[in-house]
Amino acid sequence: MKNIVILISGRGSNMEALIAARDAGTLPVNIAAVISNRPAAQGLETAARAGIATHYIDHKAFAGREAFDAALAECIDTFAPDLLILAGFMRILTPDFVRHYEGRLLNIHPSLLPSFPGLHTHQRALDEGVRIHGCTVHFVTAELDHGPVVIQAAVPVLDGDDESSLSARVLRQEHQIYPQAVRWFAEDKLTLVDGKVRLAAELRDDSLLRSPELR
Ligand code: GRF
């Protein structure tokens, strides 16, 4: 069974979706540890309650990104992860860190990449007036919120939506596609080859989800 480590910074609802899938028997992984850069991250308590090893490494205690990332990687590597999962981890990672975990580092981003990288994706989608929005699981590369796409889910932007209603609709899909992507990795159906996603042929149709609100 593959070993995974999850990095969080806050609420940790995507992490919870992964724990729930593991507990339901639909995600055959060992969640070796949950690590946060914020000591007060709500998700740390949730993980501890689930009996998972937790750590925090406060980025504010380090002089720069390189030093923080080196300490973070040292902690992560004590768990020998096959896969490292960014789940609301709000730090830009150094190229050295990204290279170290190449092909075994996934992120979830709350937009249909390459649209709306960065922050405040839902408000920006509303401001642009797009009709379709969503979320993306991708392998991480040195470029922020960029990298080979594994799976996306599309949701409609409805009349009367505000940031909160739209983000809730997207989040429901995040909780579907992240466990799905990790399951594929765990089952050796998902790999990164020469910078491109290689997905078992029978899964191609499953790599685009539509929310029930999307006609
Ligand atoms: C999610 O919207 C995720 O896509 C983004 O940060 C948010 C984290 O939420 N990267 P949670 O901590 O998983 O609840």
Side-chain angles (χ1 to χ4, degrees):
M1 194 179 294
K2 287 199 168 41
N3 228 10
I4 68 172
V5 168
I6 305 175
L7 303 188
I8 62 167
S9 295
R11 178 178 58 182
S13 71
N14 277 289
M15 172 205 76
E16 268 187 271
L18 293 165
I19 296 172
R22 181 205 62 177
D23 291 348
T26 55
L27 185 57
V29 295
N30 173 45
I31 305 179
V34 171
I35 304 171
S36 169
N37 65 308
R38 293 208 182 108
Q42 202 186 317
L44 283 178
E45 274 177 40
T46 315
R49 268 201 310 276
I52 298 167
T54 60
H55 287 270
Y56 65 82
I57 301 178
D58 188 349
H59 62 276
K60 293 201 198 97
F62 293 84
R65 277 189 203 288
E66 283 74 15
F68 169 71
D69 279 10
L72 181 62
E74 198 180 318
C75 178
I76 293 167
D77 287 348
T78 61
F79 298 99
D82 299 295
L83 179 64
L84 181 59
I85 295 177
L86 308 180
F89 186 66
M90 303 301 282
R91 296 286 304 167
I92 294 173
L93 297 163
T94 54
D96 275 355
F97 183 98
V98 171
R99 208 169 300 121
H100 181 63
Y101 296 103
E102 194 186 354
R104 52 186 180 122
L105 180 54
L106 290 177
N107 182 43
I108 188 153
H109 183 75
S111 79
L112 290 174
L113 289 174
S115 291
F116 310 121
L119 298 173
H120 311 300
T121 56
H122 308 304
Q123 189 56 53
R124 285 158 62 207
L126 288 166
D127 293 346
E128 289 291 344
V130 298
R131 307 308 295 163
I132 297 176
H133 184 44
C135 47
T136 304
V137 175
H138 64 98
F139 281 103
V140 175
T141 59
E143 200 177 333
L144 180 69
D145 295 332
H146 205 269
V149 169
V150 174
I151 181 169
Q152 294 185 303
V155 311
V157 180
L158 301 175
D159 289 345
D161 262 340
D162 59 13
E163 195 177 6
S164 132
S165 62
L166 185 55
S167 71
R169 190 175 308 122
V170 171
L171 194 63
R172 279 195 294 278
Q173 297 305 309
E174 293 186 35
H175 296 165
Q176 303 294 319
I177 65 171
Y178 220 178
Q180 176 78 279
V182 175
R183 186 177 310 127
W184 290 340
F185 191 93
E187 293 171 345
D188 289 323
K189 291 175 176 167
L190 166 67
T191 47
L192 189 68
V193 180
D194 296 332
K196 296 240 182 313
V197 167
R198 186 171 291 171
L199 198 55
E202 76 269 16
L203 300 176
R204 288 299 302 181
D205 288 350
D206 299 335
S207 61
L208 166 61
L209 259 69
R210 287 171 197 79
S211 81
E213 301 91 344
L214 196 67
R215 283 186 290 126

